[in-house]
Short mmCIF file of all heavy atoms in Angstrom, two decimals:
data_model
loop_
_atom_site.label_atom_id
_atom_site.label_comp_id
_atom_site.label_asym_id
_atom_site.label_seq_id
_atom_site.Cartn_x
_atom_site.Cartn_y
_atom_site.Cartn_z
N MET A 203 13.74 -42.37 77.33
CA MET A 203 12.38 -42.89 77.20
C MET A 203 11.76 -42.47 75.87
O MET A 203 11.76 -41.30 75.50
CB MET A 203 11.55 -42.35 78.37
CG MET A 203 10.12 -42.89 78.36
SD MET A 203 9.15 -42.08 79.65
CE MET A 203 7.56 -41.98 78.83
N SER A 204 11.26 -43.43 75.13
CA SER A 204 10.67 -43.10 73.84
C SER A 204 9.20 -42.74 74.00
O SER A 204 8.48 -43.36 74.77
CB SER A 204 10.82 -44.27 72.88
OG SER A 204 10.01 -45.34 73.29
N GLN A 205 8.79 -41.73 73.31
CA GLN A 205 7.41 -41.30 73.38
C GLN A 205 6.66 -41.67 72.12
O GLN A 205 7.19 -41.61 71.02
CB GLN A 205 7.35 -39.80 73.59
CG GLN A 205 7.09 -39.45 75.05
CD GLN A 205 6.55 -38.05 75.18
OE1 GLN A 205 6.77 -37.22 74.31
NE2 GLN A 205 5.86 -37.79 76.25
N ASN A 206 5.42 -42.05 72.31
CA ASN A 206 4.58 -42.37 71.18
C ASN A 206 3.66 -41.19 70.91
O ASN A 206 2.74 -40.93 71.66
CB ASN A 206 3.76 -43.62 71.49
CG ASN A 206 4.65 -44.81 71.76
OD1 ASN A 206 5.62 -45.04 71.06
ND2 ASN A 206 4.33 -45.57 72.79
N THR A 207 3.96 -40.48 69.86
CA THR A 207 3.18 -39.27 69.59
C THR A 207 2.51 -39.34 68.23
O THR A 207 2.99 -39.97 67.29
CB THR A 207 4.07 -38.02 69.65
OG1 THR A 207 5.17 -38.20 68.76
CG2 THR A 207 4.57 -37.76 71.05
N CYS A 208 1.39 -38.65 68.13
CA CYS A 208 0.58 -38.61 66.92
C CYS A 208 1.32 -37.87 65.80
O CYS A 208 1.89 -36.80 66.03
CB CYS A 208 -0.72 -37.89 67.23
SG CYS A 208 -1.75 -37.64 65.78
N PRO A 209 1.34 -38.44 64.58
CA PRO A 209 2.03 -37.77 63.47
C PRO A 209 1.30 -36.50 63.03
O PRO A 209 1.89 -35.65 62.36
CB PRO A 209 2.02 -38.81 62.35
CG PRO A 209 0.91 -39.76 62.70
CD PRO A 209 0.79 -39.74 64.19
N GLU A 210 0.03 -36.36 63.39
CA GLU A 210 -0.75 -35.19 62.99
C GLU A 210 -0.64 -34.05 63.99
O GLU A 210 -0.38 -32.91 63.63
CB GLU A 210 -2.23 -35.58 62.86
CG GLU A 210 -2.57 -36.33 61.59
CD GLU A 210 -2.48 -35.45 60.35
OE1 GLU A 210 -3.02 -34.33 60.36
OE2 GLU A 210 -1.86 -35.89 59.37
N CYS A 211 -0.89 -34.36 65.25
CA CYS A 211 -1.01 -33.29 66.24
C CYS A 211 0.04 -33.38 67.35
O CYS A 211 0.04 -32.55 68.25
CB CYS A 211 -2.41 -33.30 66.84
SG CYS A 211 -2.74 -34.75 67.86
N SER A 212 0.88 -34.38 67.29
CA SER A 212 1.97 -34.55 68.26
C SER A 212 1.52 -34.77 69.70
O SER A 212 2.32 -34.64 70.61
CB SER A 212 2.93 -33.36 68.23
OG SER A 212 3.51 -33.28 66.96
N SER A 213 0.26 -35.07 69.90
CA SER A 213 -0.15 -35.40 71.26
C SER A 213 0.16 -36.86 71.54
O SER A 213 0.39 -37.65 70.62
CB SER A 213 -1.64 -35.12 71.46
OG SER A 213 -2.41 -36.02 70.71
N GLU A 214 0.17 -37.19 72.81
CA GLU A 214 0.56 -38.54 73.18
C GLU A 214 -0.52 -39.55 72.82
O GLU A 214 -1.71 -39.29 73.00
CB GLU A 214 0.86 -38.59 74.68
CG GLU A 214 1.79 -39.73 75.01
CD GLU A 214 2.36 -39.63 76.42
OE1 GLU A 214 2.54 -38.49 76.89
OE2 GLU A 214 2.60 -40.68 77.02
N LEU A 215 -0.10 -40.68 72.32
CA LEU A 215 -1.06 -41.68 71.87
C LEU A 215 -1.48 -42.61 73.00
O LEU A 215 -0.69 -42.93 73.88
CB LEU A 215 -0.45 -42.52 70.74
CG LEU A 215 -0.06 -41.74 69.48
CD1 LEU A 215 0.70 -42.65 68.53
CD2 LEU A 215 -1.28 -41.18 68.79
N ALA A 216 -2.73 -43.04 72.94
CA ALA A 216 -3.22 -44.04 73.87
C ALA A 216 -3.15 -45.40 73.20
O ALA A 216 -3.07 -45.51 71.97
CB ALA A 216 -4.65 -43.71 74.26
N TRP A 217 -3.19 -46.44 74.01
CA TRP A 217 -3.19 -47.79 73.49
C TRP A 217 -4.62 -48.32 73.59
O TRP A 217 -5.19 -48.37 74.67
CB TRP A 217 -2.23 -48.67 74.28
CG TRP A 217 -2.16 -50.08 73.82
CD1 TRP A 217 -2.71 -51.17 74.42
CD2 TRP A 217 -1.51 -50.58 72.64
NE1 TRP A 217 -2.44 -52.31 73.69
CE2 TRP A 217 -1.71 -51.98 72.60
CE3 TRP A 217 -0.78 -49.96 71.61
CZ2 TRP A 217 -1.20 -52.78 71.58
CZ3 TRP A 217 -0.27 -50.77 70.59
CH2 TRP A 217 -0.48 -52.15 70.58
N LYS A 218 -5.20 -48.66 72.45
CA LYS A 218 -6.61 -49.03 72.43
C LYS A 218 -6.85 -50.08 71.35
O LYS A 218 -6.39 -49.92 70.22
CB LYS A 218 -7.42 -47.77 72.13
CG LYS A 218 -8.92 -47.91 72.24
CD LYS A 218 -9.53 -46.52 72.07
CE LYS A 218 -11.01 -46.59 71.77
NZ LYS A 218 -11.57 -45.24 71.58
N ASP A 219 -7.59 -51.11 71.71
CA ASP A 219 -7.94 -52.17 70.76
C ASP A 219 -6.74 -52.67 69.96
O ASP A 219 -6.79 -52.77 68.73
CB ASP A 219 -9.03 -51.69 69.78
CG ASP A 219 -10.32 -51.35 70.51
OD1 ASP A 219 -10.57 -51.93 71.58
OD2 ASP A 219 -11.07 -50.48 70.01
N ASP A 220 -5.64 -52.92 70.66
CA ASP A 220 -4.48 -53.49 70.00
C ASP A 220 -3.77 -52.56 69.03
O ASP A 220 -3.02 -53.00 68.15
CB ASP A 220 -4.88 -54.77 69.25
CG ASP A 220 -4.22 -55.98 69.91
OD1 ASP A 220 -3.89 -55.89 71.10
OD2 ASP A 220 -4.04 -56.98 69.21
N GLN A 221 -4.02 -51.28 69.13
CA GLN A 221 -3.27 -50.33 68.32
C GLN A 221 -3.19 -48.99 69.04
O GLN A 221 -3.86 -48.79 70.05
CB GLN A 221 -3.93 -50.15 66.95
CG GLN A 221 -5.31 -49.50 67.04
CD GLN A 221 -5.85 -49.08 65.68
OE1 GLN A 221 -5.22 -49.27 64.66
NE2 GLN A 221 -7.03 -48.49 65.69
N TYR A 222 -2.36 -48.10 68.54
CA TYR A 222 -2.29 -46.78 69.12
C TYR A 222 -3.46 -45.95 68.64
O TYR A 222 -3.98 -46.16 67.55
CB TYR A 222 -0.96 -46.11 68.74
CG TYR A 222 0.21 -46.74 69.44
CD1 TYR A 222 0.96 -47.72 68.81
CD2 TYR A 222 0.54 -46.39 70.74
CE1 TYR A 222 2.01 -48.35 69.46
CE2 TYR A 222 1.60 -47.00 71.39
CZ TYR A 222 2.33 -47.97 70.75
OH TYR A 222 3.36 -48.58 71.39
N TYR A 223 -3.86 -45.02 69.47
CA TYR A 223 -5.04 -44.23 69.17
C TYR A 223 -4.82 -42.80 69.63
O TYR A 223 -4.33 -42.56 70.73
CB TYR A 223 -6.25 -44.84 69.88
CG TYR A 223 -7.57 -44.19 69.52
CD1 TYR A 223 -8.26 -44.58 68.38
CD2 TYR A 223 -8.11 -43.20 70.33
CE1 TYR A 223 -9.46 -43.98 68.05
CE2 TYR A 223 -9.31 -42.59 70.00
CZ TYR A 223 -9.99 -42.99 68.86
OH TYR A 223 -11.17 -42.39 68.53
N CYS A 224 -5.18 -41.84 68.75
CA CYS A 224 -5.08 -40.44 69.14
C CYS A 224 -6.45 -39.92 69.54
O CYS A 224 -7.39 -39.94 68.74
CB CYS A 224 -4.52 -39.60 67.99
SG CYS A 224 -4.41 -37.85 68.43
N ASP A 225 -6.57 -39.48 70.78
CA ASP A 225 -7.85 -38.98 71.27
C ASP A 225 -8.26 -37.68 70.59
O ASP A 225 -9.44 -37.40 70.42
CB ASP A 225 -7.77 -38.73 72.79
CG ASP A 225 -7.85 -40.04 73.56
OD1 ASP A 225 -8.53 -40.95 73.09
OD2 ASP A 225 -7.22 -40.13 74.62
N TYR A 226 -7.28 -36.88 70.20
CA TYR A 226 -7.60 -35.60 69.58
C TYR A 226 -8.07 -35.78 68.14
O TYR A 226 -9.08 -35.23 67.72
CB TYR A 226 -6.37 -34.68 69.61
CG TYR A 226 -6.05 -34.19 70.98
CD1 TYR A 226 -5.18 -34.91 71.80
CD2 TYR A 226 -6.64 -33.03 71.49
CE1 TYR A 226 -4.90 -34.48 73.09
CE2 TYR A 226 -6.36 -32.60 72.78
CZ TYR A 226 -5.49 -33.32 73.57
OH TYR A 226 -5.22 -32.91 74.84
N CYS A 227 -7.38 -36.59 67.39
CA CYS A 227 -7.75 -36.82 65.99
C CYS A 227 -8.84 -37.89 65.88
O CYS A 227 -9.43 -38.05 64.83
CB CYS A 227 -6.54 -37.27 65.18
SG CYS A 227 -5.16 -36.14 65.26
N GLN A 228 -9.08 -38.60 66.97
CA GLN A 228 -10.02 -39.71 66.99
C GLN A 228 -9.74 -40.68 65.84
O GLN A 228 -10.61 -41.02 65.05
CB GLN A 228 -11.45 -39.19 66.91
CG GLN A 228 -11.75 -38.19 68.03
CD GLN A 228 -13.22 -38.20 68.42
OE1 GLN A 228 -14.08 -38.32 67.58
NE2 GLN A 228 -13.50 -38.12 69.71
N SER A 229 -8.50 -41.08 65.78
CA SER A 229 -8.08 -41.96 64.71
C SER A 229 -7.05 -42.95 65.23
O SER A 229 -6.27 -42.62 66.12
CB SER A 229 -7.50 -41.12 63.57
OG SER A 229 -6.89 -41.96 62.63
N GLY A 230 -7.09 -44.14 64.69
CA GLY A 230 -6.08 -45.12 65.04
C GLY A 230 -4.76 -44.76 64.38
O GLY A 230 -4.72 -44.17 63.30
N VAL A 231 -3.67 -45.10 65.02
CA VAL A 231 -2.35 -44.81 64.47
C VAL A 231 -1.54 -46.09 64.50
O VAL A 231 -1.48 -46.79 65.50
CB VAL A 231 -1.63 -43.72 65.30
CG1 VAL A 231 -0.25 -43.44 64.74
CG2 VAL A 231 -2.45 -42.45 65.35
N LYS A 232 -0.95 -46.40 63.37
CA LYS A 232 -0.17 -47.62 63.28
C LYS A 232 1.30 -47.33 63.49
O LYS A 232 1.85 -46.39 62.95
CB LYS A 232 -0.39 -48.25 61.90
CG LYS A 232 0.09 -49.68 61.83
CD LYS A 232 -0.09 -50.23 60.42
CE LYS A 232 0.48 -51.63 60.33
NZ LYS A 232 0.70 -52.03 58.95
N LYS A 233 1.92 -48.18 64.30
CA LYS A 233 3.36 -48.04 64.53
C LYS A 233 4.08 -48.94 63.55
O LYS A 233 3.80 -50.13 63.44
CB LYS A 233 3.67 -48.46 65.96
CG LYS A 233 5.09 -48.17 66.40
CD LYS A 233 5.26 -48.56 67.86
CE LYS A 233 6.59 -48.06 68.40
NZ LYS A 233 6.70 -48.33 69.85
N LYS A 234 5.01 -48.35 62.82
CA LYS A 234 5.75 -49.13 61.84
C LYS A 234 7.23 -49.09 62.15
O LYS A 234 7.74 -48.07 62.62
CB LYS A 234 5.57 -48.51 60.44
CG LYS A 234 4.25 -48.79 59.78
CD LYS A 234 4.16 -47.96 58.53
CE LYS A 234 3.51 -48.71 57.40
NZ LYS A 234 3.67 -47.97 56.13
N ALA A 235 7.89 -50.18 61.85
CA ALA A 235 9.34 -50.22 62.01
C ALA A 235 9.95 -50.33 60.62
O ALA A 235 9.69 -51.28 59.90
CB ALA A 235 9.73 -51.40 62.87
N LEU A 236 10.73 -49.33 60.26
CA LEU A 236 11.34 -49.33 58.93
C LEU A 236 12.79 -49.77 58.99
O LEU A 236 13.51 -49.48 59.94
CB LEU A 236 11.27 -47.92 58.32
CG LEU A 236 9.88 -47.29 58.17
CD1 LEU A 236 10.00 -45.96 57.45
CD2 LEU A 236 8.92 -48.21 57.44
N CYS A 237 13.18 -50.45 57.94
CA CYS A 237 14.56 -50.89 57.81
C CYS A 237 15.50 -49.68 57.75
O CYS A 237 15.26 -48.75 57.00
CB CYS A 237 14.70 -51.72 56.54
SG CYS A 237 16.39 -52.18 56.18
N PRO A 238 16.56 -49.68 58.55
CA PRO A 238 17.50 -48.54 58.55
C PRO A 238 18.33 -48.47 57.27
O PRO A 238 18.94 -47.46 56.97
CB PRO A 238 18.38 -48.81 59.76
CG PRO A 238 18.30 -50.29 59.96
CD PRO A 238 16.93 -50.71 59.53
N ASP A 239 18.35 -49.56 56.52
CA ASP A 239 19.19 -49.60 55.32
C ASP A 239 18.42 -49.31 54.03
O ASP A 239 18.88 -48.56 53.18
CB ASP A 239 19.87 -50.96 55.22
CG ASP A 239 20.75 -51.23 56.43
OD1 ASP A 239 21.52 -50.32 56.80
OD2 ASP A 239 20.66 -52.32 57.00
N CYS A 240 17.21 -49.90 53.89
CA CYS A 240 16.47 -49.70 52.64
C CYS A 240 15.12 -49.02 52.85
O CYS A 240 14.41 -48.76 51.91
CB CYS A 240 16.29 -51.03 51.91
SG CYS A 240 15.11 -52.12 52.73
N HIS A 241 14.78 -48.76 54.11
CA HIS A 241 13.55 -48.05 54.48
C HIS A 241 12.27 -48.77 54.11
O HIS A 241 11.22 -48.15 54.02
CB HIS A 241 13.56 -46.63 53.91
CG HIS A 241 14.75 -45.86 54.35
ND1 HIS A 241 14.90 -45.35 55.62
CD2 HIS A 241 15.90 -45.56 53.69
CE1 HIS A 241 16.07 -44.74 55.71
NE2 HIS A 241 16.70 -44.86 54.57
N ALA A 242 12.36 -50.07 53.91
CA ALA A 242 11.15 -50.86 53.71
C ALA A 242 10.56 -51.19 55.08
O ALA A 242 11.26 -51.14 56.09
CB ALA A 242 11.49 -52.14 52.97
N GLU A 243 9.28 -51.51 55.09
CA GLU A 243 8.67 -51.87 56.36
C GLU A 243 9.15 -53.26 56.76
O GLU A 243 9.20 -54.17 55.96
CB GLU A 243 7.14 -51.87 56.23
CG GLU A 243 6.47 -52.02 57.59
CD GLU A 243 4.94 -51.90 57.51
OE1 GLU A 243 4.43 -51.63 56.41
OE2 GLU A 243 4.30 -52.08 58.53
N THR A 244 9.52 -53.39 58.03
CA THR A 244 10.02 -54.67 58.51
C THR A 244 8.93 -55.43 59.24
O THR A 244 7.93 -54.86 59.65
CB THR A 244 11.22 -54.49 59.46
OG1 THR A 244 10.79 -53.71 60.58
CG2 THR A 244 12.37 -53.79 58.77
N GLU A 245 9.17 -56.70 59.41
CA GLU A 245 8.26 -57.55 60.15
C GLU A 245 8.81 -57.75 61.54
O GLU A 245 9.98 -58.08 61.71
CB GLU A 245 8.19 -58.92 59.46
CG GLU A 245 6.84 -59.31 58.94
CD GLU A 245 6.94 -60.60 58.17
OE1 GLU A 245 6.88 -61.66 58.81
OE2 GLU A 245 7.11 -60.54 56.94
N LYS A 246 7.94 -57.57 62.53
CA LYS A 246 8.39 -57.74 63.90
C LYS A 246 8.37 -59.21 64.28
O LYS A 246 7.37 -59.89 64.08
CB LYS A 246 7.49 -56.95 64.84
CG LYS A 246 8.00 -56.89 66.25
CD LYS A 246 7.12 -56.00 67.09
CE LYS A 246 7.69 -55.85 68.50
NZ LYS A 246 6.84 -54.99 69.32
N LEU A 247 9.46 -59.69 64.78
CA LEU A 247 9.53 -61.07 65.24
C LEU A 247 9.80 -61.09 66.72
O LEU A 247 10.60 -60.32 67.23
CB LEU A 247 10.68 -61.81 64.52
CG LEU A 247 10.67 -61.82 63.00
CD1 LEU A 247 11.97 -62.43 62.49
CD2 LEU A 247 9.48 -62.59 62.46
N LEU A 248 9.11 -61.98 67.39
CA LEU A 248 9.36 -62.12 68.82
C LEU A 248 10.07 -63.43 69.06
O LEU A 248 9.54 -64.50 68.77
CB LEU A 248 8.05 -62.08 69.59
CG LEU A 248 7.44 -60.69 69.78
CD1 LEU A 248 6.05 -60.80 70.39
CD2 LEU A 248 8.33 -59.82 70.66
N ALA A 249 11.26 -63.33 69.57
CA ALA A 249 12.04 -64.53 69.86
C ALA A 249 12.63 -64.41 71.25
O ALA A 249 13.27 -63.42 71.57
CB ALA A 249 13.15 -64.72 68.84
N CYS A 250 12.39 -65.42 72.06
CA CYS A 250 12.91 -65.46 73.42
C CYS A 250 12.57 -64.18 74.20
O CYS A 250 13.39 -63.67 74.96
CB CYS A 250 14.43 -65.67 73.43
SG CYS A 250 14.94 -67.02 72.40
N GLY A 251 11.39 -63.64 73.96
CA GLY A 251 10.95 -62.50 74.73
C GLY A 251 11.49 -61.16 74.27
O GLY A 251 11.10 -60.12 74.77
N SER A 252 12.40 -61.16 73.30
CA SER A 252 12.90 -59.89 72.81
C SER A 252 12.51 -59.72 71.35
O SER A 252 12.45 -60.70 70.60
CB SER A 252 14.41 -59.80 72.97
OG SER A 252 15.04 -60.69 72.10
N ALA A 253 12.26 -58.51 70.96
CA ALA A 253 11.80 -58.25 69.61
C ALA A 253 12.97 -58.02 68.66
O ALA A 253 13.95 -57.38 69.01
CB ALA A 253 10.89 -57.04 69.60
N SER A 254 12.84 -58.58 67.48
CA SER A 254 13.76 -58.21 66.43
C SER A 254 12.94 -57.99 65.17
O SER A 254 11.78 -58.34 65.10
CB SER A 254 14.84 -59.27 66.23
OG SER A 254 14.30 -60.55 66.28
N TYR A 255 13.57 -57.41 64.17
CA TYR A 255 12.83 -57.02 62.99
C TYR A 255 13.47 -57.63 61.77
O TYR A 255 14.69 -57.59 61.60
CB TYR A 255 12.81 -55.50 62.88
CG TYR A 255 12.07 -54.87 64.04
CD1 TYR A 255 12.72 -54.60 65.24
CD2 TYR A 255 10.71 -54.58 63.92
CE1 TYR A 255 12.03 -54.04 66.31
CE2 TYR A 255 10.01 -54.03 65.00
CZ TYR A 255 10.68 -53.76 66.18
OH TYR A 255 10.02 -53.23 67.24
N PHE A 256 12.61 -58.18 60.91
CA PHE A 256 13.12 -58.82 59.71
C PHE A 256 12.75 -57.99 58.48
O PHE A 256 11.58 -57.66 58.27
CB PHE A 256 12.55 -60.23 59.57
CG PHE A 256 13.15 -61.01 58.43
CD1 PHE A 256 14.39 -61.61 58.59
CD2 PHE A 256 12.49 -61.11 57.22
CE1 PHE A 256 14.96 -62.32 57.53
CE2 PHE A 256 13.06 -61.81 56.16
CZ PHE A 256 14.29 -62.42 56.33
N CYS A 257 13.74 -57.65 57.69
CA CYS A 257 13.50 -56.90 56.46
C CYS A 257 13.43 -57.88 55.29
O CYS A 257 14.38 -58.61 55.03
CB CYS A 257 14.60 -55.88 56.23
SG CYS A 257 14.38 -55.02 54.65
N ASN A 258 12.28 -57.87 54.61
CA ASN A 258 12.11 -58.77 53.47
C ASN A 258 12.91 -58.33 52.26
O ASN A 258 13.25 -59.15 51.41
CB ASN A 258 10.62 -58.86 53.10
CG ASN A 258 9.86 -59.71 54.10
OD1 ASN A 258 10.25 -60.83 54.40
ND2 ASN A 258 8.78 -59.17 54.64
N SER A 259 13.21 -57.06 52.16
CA SER A 259 14.00 -56.57 51.03
C SER A 259 15.47 -56.93 51.17
O SER A 259 16.11 -57.40 50.24
CB SER A 259 13.87 -55.05 50.90
OG SER A 259 12.52 -54.70 50.78
N CYS A 260 16.00 -56.70 52.36
CA CYS A 260 17.40 -57.05 52.62
C CYS A 260 17.56 -58.54 52.90
O CYS A 260 18.66 -59.07 52.84
CB CYS A 260 17.95 -56.29 53.82
SG CYS A 260 17.90 -54.51 53.68
N ASN A 261 16.43 -59.16 53.26
CA ASN A 261 16.44 -60.57 53.63
C ASN A 261 17.34 -60.85 54.84
O ASN A 261 18.09 -61.81 54.86
CB ASN A 261 16.86 -61.43 52.44
CG ASN A 261 16.31 -62.85 52.56
OD1 ASN A 261 15.25 -63.07 53.13
ND2 ASN A 261 17.02 -63.81 52.01
N GLU A 262 17.28 -59.95 55.81
CA GLU A 262 18.05 -60.18 57.03
C GLU A 262 17.41 -59.50 58.22
O GLU A 262 16.59 -58.59 58.08
CB GLU A 262 19.50 -59.73 56.85
CG GLU A 262 19.65 -58.24 56.63
CD GLU A 262 21.10 -57.82 56.46
OE1 GLU A 262 21.91 -58.65 56.00
OE2 GLU A 262 21.41 -56.68 56.80
N LEU A 263 17.84 -59.94 59.40
CA LEU A 263 17.34 -59.37 60.64
C LEU A 263 17.99 -58.02 60.92
O LEU A 263 19.17 -57.83 60.67
CB LEU A 263 17.62 -60.32 61.81
CG LEU A 263 16.67 -61.49 62.02
CD1 LEU A 263 17.24 -62.42 63.07
CD2 LEU A 263 15.28 -61.02 62.41
N LYS A 264 17.19 -57.11 61.46
CA LYS A 264 17.71 -55.81 61.88
C LYS A 264 17.51 -55.70 63.38
O LYS A 264 16.49 -56.11 63.92
CB LYS A 264 16.93 -54.69 61.19
CG LYS A 264 16.85 -54.81 59.69
CD LYS A 264 18.21 -54.61 59.06
CE LYS A 264 18.14 -54.94 57.57
NZ LYS A 264 19.44 -54.73 56.92
N SER A 265 18.48 -55.15 64.04
CA SER A 265 18.35 -55.05 65.49
C SER A 265 17.38 -53.94 65.85
O SER A 265 17.22 -52.95 65.13
CB SER A 265 19.70 -54.83 66.15
OG SER A 265 20.04 -53.48 66.10
N LYS A 266 16.75 -54.12 67.00
CA LYS A 266 15.73 -53.20 67.47
C LYS A 266 16.26 -51.77 67.61
O LYS A 266 15.54 -50.80 67.41
CB LYS A 266 15.22 -53.72 68.81
CG LYS A 266 13.97 -53.05 69.30
CD LYS A 266 13.63 -53.58 70.68
CE LYS A 266 12.46 -52.82 71.26
NZ LYS A 266 12.16 -53.25 72.63
N SER A 267 17.53 -51.67 67.95
CA SER A 267 18.10 -50.35 68.19
C SER A 267 18.35 -49.57 66.89
O SER A 267 18.54 -48.37 66.91
CB SER A 267 19.41 -50.48 68.97
OG SER A 267 20.30 -51.32 68.27
N ARG A 268 18.33 -50.29 65.77
CA ARG A 268 18.64 -49.62 64.50
C ARG A 268 17.41 -49.27 63.67
O ARG A 268 17.48 -48.39 62.83
CB ARG A 268 19.58 -50.50 63.66
CG ARG A 268 21.00 -50.56 64.21
CD ARG A 268 21.90 -51.26 63.20
NE ARG A 268 22.04 -50.49 61.97
CZ ARG A 268 21.96 -51.01 60.75
NH1 ARG A 268 21.76 -52.28 60.58
NH2 ARG A 268 22.09 -50.25 59.69
N VAL A 269 16.30 -50.00 63.87
CA VAL A 269 15.14 -49.74 63.03
C VAL A 269 14.56 -48.35 63.30
O VAL A 269 14.71 -47.81 64.39
CB VAL A 269 14.02 -50.79 63.21
CG1 VAL A 269 14.45 -52.14 62.69
CG2 VAL A 269 13.57 -50.87 64.65
N GLU A 270 13.95 -47.78 62.29
CA GLU A 270 13.31 -46.47 62.44
C GLU A 270 11.83 -46.67 62.74
O GLU A 270 11.11 -47.29 61.98
CB GLU A 270 13.43 -45.68 61.13
CG GLU A 270 14.85 -45.35 60.76
CD GLU A 270 14.91 -44.77 59.34
OE1 GLU A 270 13.91 -44.22 58.88
OE2 GLU A 270 15.97 -44.90 58.73
N ILE A 271 11.42 -46.13 63.87
CA ILE A 271 10.02 -46.24 64.25
C ILE A 271 9.25 -45.03 63.74
O ILE A 271 9.64 -43.89 64.01
CB ILE A 271 9.88 -46.35 65.79
CG1 ILE A 271 10.67 -47.56 66.32
CG2 ILE A 271 8.41 -46.44 66.19
CD1 ILE A 271 10.20 -48.90 65.81
N VAL A 272 8.20 -45.29 62.99
CA VAL A 272 7.36 -44.19 62.51
C VAL A 272 5.90 -44.50 62.84
O VAL A 272 5.51 -45.65 62.98
CB VAL A 272 7.51 -43.96 60.99
CG1 VAL A 272 8.90 -43.48 60.64
CG2 VAL A 272 7.18 -45.22 60.21
N PHE A 273 5.12 -43.45 62.93
CA PHE A 273 3.70 -43.62 63.20
C PHE A 273 2.91 -43.14 61.98
O PHE A 273 3.24 -42.12 61.39
CB PHE A 273 3.29 -42.82 64.44
CG PHE A 273 3.86 -43.41 65.70
CD1 PHE A 273 5.06 -42.97 66.21
CD2 PHE A 273 3.19 -44.43 66.36
CE1 PHE A 273 5.60 -43.53 67.36
CE2 PHE A 273 3.70 -44.99 67.50
CZ PHE A 273 4.91 -44.53 68.01
N GLU A 274 1.88 -43.89 61.65
CA GLU A 274 1.10 -43.55 60.46
C GLU A 274 -0.39 -43.58 60.81
O GLU A 274 -0.88 -44.54 61.40
CB GLU A 274 1.41 -44.60 59.39
CG GLU A 274 0.94 -44.22 58.01
CD GLU A 274 1.47 -45.21 56.98
OE1 GLU A 274 0.85 -46.26 56.82
OE2 GLU A 274 2.51 -44.92 56.36
N MET A 275 -1.09 -42.53 60.41
CA MET A 275 -2.53 -42.48 60.65
C MET A 275 -3.23 -43.57 59.87
O MET A 275 -2.89 -43.83 58.72
CB MET A 275 -3.12 -41.13 60.20
CG MET A 275 -2.58 -39.91 60.89
SD MET A 275 -2.70 -39.93 62.67
CE MET A 275 -4.35 -39.30 62.91
N GLN A 276 -4.22 -44.17 60.49
CA GLN A 276 -5.04 -45.15 59.79
C GLN A 276 -6.19 -44.44 59.10
O GLN A 276 -6.76 -43.51 59.66
CB GLN A 276 -5.58 -46.19 60.78
CG GLN A 276 -4.50 -47.05 61.42
CD GLN A 276 -3.74 -47.88 60.41
OE1 GLN A 276 -2.70 -47.47 59.93
NE2 GLN A 276 -4.28 -49.02 60.03
N PRO A 277 -6.54 -44.86 57.89
CA PRO A 277 -7.63 -44.21 57.18
C PRO A 277 -8.99 -44.43 57.88
O PRO A 277 -9.17 -45.43 58.53
CB PRO A 277 -7.63 -44.86 55.80
CG PRO A 277 -6.84 -46.11 55.93
CD PRO A 277 -5.93 -45.94 57.10
ZN1 ZN B 268 -3.58 -36.58 66.74
ZN1 ZN B 269 16.10 -53.50 54.31
#
């Protein structure tokens, strides 16, 4: 089971207003999926109910199991 934790305080994130939110830091947190090959941010595509990720740098699809999920505080 994957956990969604705050990059600042490591507490569990809540889902609020269409984004993750840390109650302790009182800040929104953005979930990003990075390309496993070039580490650029990928675009999430929804096809047939399953998510895949497209890397604009590599110009190809990356499977969900390979992308690196990172969390970033919103300013
Ligand atoms: Zn936090
Ligand atoms: Zn890439």
Side-chain angles (χ1 to χ4, degrees):
M203 182 186 144
S204 68
Q205 260 200 336
N206 300 316
T207 54
C208 175
E210 283 290 312
C211 68
S212 298
S213 69
E214 204 167 328
L215 299 172
W217 180 255
K218 187 173 164 182
D219 298 332
D220 247 24
Q221 65 169 1
Y222 290 96
Y223 186 84
C224 179
D225 283 328
Y226 290 90
C227 304
Q228 304 209 321
S229 171
V231 179
K232 194 183 176 197
K233 188 177 190 175
K234 283 172 141 191
L236 302 184
C237 174
D239 300 313
C240 71
H241 304 285
E243 189 175 356
T244 60
E245 242 174 85
K246 189 175 184 180
L247 304 173
L248 283 172
C250 311
S252 69
S254 42
Y255 296 85
F256 186 80
C257 176
N258 285 309
S259 304
C260 300
N261 205 31
E262 64 180 28
L263 279 171
K264 307 292 172 179
S265 82
K266 192 184 174 184
S267 56
R268 288 189 66 225
V269 292
E270 296 170 24
I271 302 298
V272 294
F273 290 93
E274 193 171 83
M275 299 305 274
Q276 294 298 94

